[in-house]
Amino acid sequence: MRLHVRCWGDPADPPLVLLHGWMDVSASFQFMVDALDGRWHVLAPDWRGFGLSQWAPGGYWFADYLADLDAILDLVCPGAAVPVVGHSMGGNVANLYAGVRPERVSALVLAEGFGLRATTAGQAPERYGRWLDELREGSRLKPYADFCAVADRLMSNNPRLTRERAQFLSRHWAREADGGGVEVAADPAHKRINPVLYRFEEAQACWQRIRAPVLWVWGGEGEWVRRWMGEDPADLARRRAAYARLSEVTIREAGHMMHQDQPEAFAAAVESFIAAAGSPP
C-alpha cells in the first residue's frame, strides 16, 4: 500500500503527527500548521483511499488504518513516542492506536474524535443487508465542472470557511478528471456503509490502556456531537471515565472543522497541551 505523507518543517525538529478525518485530506491542516508557534516536523498522511494515497481494492476496514499509522510511525519516528493530533475519523484511529500501542504516543489530541454512537447486536441484519445492497449498486462521487464549483461545495458544507481557504483546499480535495471536469480525490468505496457495527465496549477497552495525557477538543457549535455521538450525559461520562488523564477545551466560533474555522486557536490549544504534557518544541 503506497501512502502519501505530507511534511512541513525541519526533520531535525520534534515530530508532530496530524491525522485527518473521513472524506478529507492531509492538506486540511495547512492553516493550523501556518499558525503553529513552535518549531515542529509536522507529518500528516493521506489515509488510504484519500488524497494522494493508493486506493485499497479490497475495501476499507478500520483496523487497516491502525496498521497504516503503525507503519508510518515505524518509518518516520522509529522507537519514539510522539504527540498525535487526530480530527474526527483520524481521532478515532488515534484513540484506539494510543491504547493498542501506548508506548508510541506521548500526548493525544482528539478533535471531536471521541468515538461513535454505541450500536447493538440487533442492528446487524439490517446493516449487513444495506452493505450488500450498496455493493450491488456500486458507489459514485459527484463530479464537478471545475475547482470553483468544488470550492462552492466546501463552503456549503462549512459556511465558516472563507473563499480563499476553500479555493486552496479545492486543489487538494479534488483533482482533474480524465474525461474532463473535476472529481473528488477519494475512492467512491468510502461511501459504502461499514457492515461491521461500532462496538463501544471494545473501543473503551483500548482507551483505558492509554498512558499519554489526552485532550478532547470541541467545536463550539457542537453540531458533530449531536449528529454522530448523541448528547446523553451518562454516555459522555462513561467515555470520559475511560481516560486516566483527560483535559477538555472548546474552540469558540468553530464547528467540526475547527482547524479550518479557527486555526490559530486550535494550534494554540494543541501546543499548550503538548508543552504541559512534557513534549515542548
Side-chain angles (χ1 to χ4, degrees):
M1 178 64 62
R2 177 183 51 78
L3 298 176
H4 172 258
V5 180
R6 190 176 304 275
C7 304
W8 296 265
D10 190 331
D13 288 329
L16 175 61
V17 177
L18 309 179
L19 306 176
H20 72 78
W22 184 74
M23 296 306 294
D24 204 356
V25 291
S26 58
S28 179
F29 289 109
Q30 180 65 62
F31 318 123
M32 176 252 189
V33 171
D34 290 340
L36 289 171
D37 184 57
R39 296 180 61 85
W40 297 99
H41 183 214
V42 181
L43 303 143
D46 288 333
W47 291 122
R48 57 173 62 200
F50 292 112
L52 298 175
S53 287
Q54 185 179 347
W55 292 8
Y60 298 90
W61 308 97
F62 211 79
D64 288 332
Y65 298 121
L66 273 70
D68 291 343
L69 178 58
D70 199 47
I72 290 169
L73 294 184
D74 282 347
L75 179 66
V76 300
C77 310
V82 299
V84 177
V85 179
H87 172 249
S88 195
M89 185 193 86
N92 288 327
V93 175
N95 215 354
L96 295 175
Y97 183 81
V100 176
R101 292 275 197 260
E103 72 280 3
R104 299 308 308 278
V105 179
S106 61
L108 179 62
V109 179
L110 304 175
E112 294 193 345
F114 322 138
L116 299 177
R117 197 186 304 266
T119 58
T120 62
Q123 296 172 253
E126 181 179 354
R127 179 73 69 92
Y128 279 119
R130 182 176 167 187
W131 177 69
L132 290 173
D133 291 340
E134 292 181 0
L135 280 177
R136 180 187 297 120
E137 295 165 1
S139 303
R140 295 172 296 277
L141 294 174
K142 177 183 175 180
Y144 295 89
D146 51 35
F147 287 103
C148 288
V150 174
D152 290 341
R153 165 66 184 277
L154 292 172
M155 294 177 68
S156 175
N157 289 348
N158 180 10
R160 305 171 193 84
L161 193 63
T162 66
R163 169 64 62 176
E164 179 182 9
R165 289 176 177 170
Q167 289 175 337
F168 169 83
L169 291 171
S170 71
R171 295 283 175 168
H172 297 277
W173 195 71
R175 61 191 171 203
E176 293 181 353
D178 292 338
V182 173
E183 62 184 6
V184 176
D187 187 344
H190 286 297
K191 300 293 287 187
R192 289 200 296 262
I193 192 169
N194 191 332
V196 180
L197 295 174
Y198 180 77
R199 302 183 178 102
F200 174 79
E201 289 76 13
E202 293 181 10
Q204 184 183 43
C206 293
W207 303 345
Q208 290 171 340
R209 295 182 72 249
I210 295 173
R211 296 202 297 258
V214 179
L215 177 67
W216 277 11
V217 186
W218 300 80
E221 301 303 321
E223 68 266 21
W224 177 87
V225 176
R226 287 189 291 271
R227 179 178 180 184
W228 293 108
M229 200 173 70
E231 296 180 287
D232 179 3
D235 180 57
L236 286 175
R238 183 171 56 154
R239 293 169 193 263
R240 288 184 172 105
Y243 304 96
R245 292 185 287 170
L246 176 65
S247 304
E248 300 183 46
V249 66
T250 298
I251 305 296
R252 299 182 60 186
E253 299 181 11
H256 186 52
M257 306 300 285
M258 61 194 75
H259 53 302
Q260 298 174 9
D261 299 343
Q262 300 292 340
E264 296 82 7
F266 184 72
V270 167
E271 290 190 292
S272 176
F273 174 73
I274 294 174
S279 301

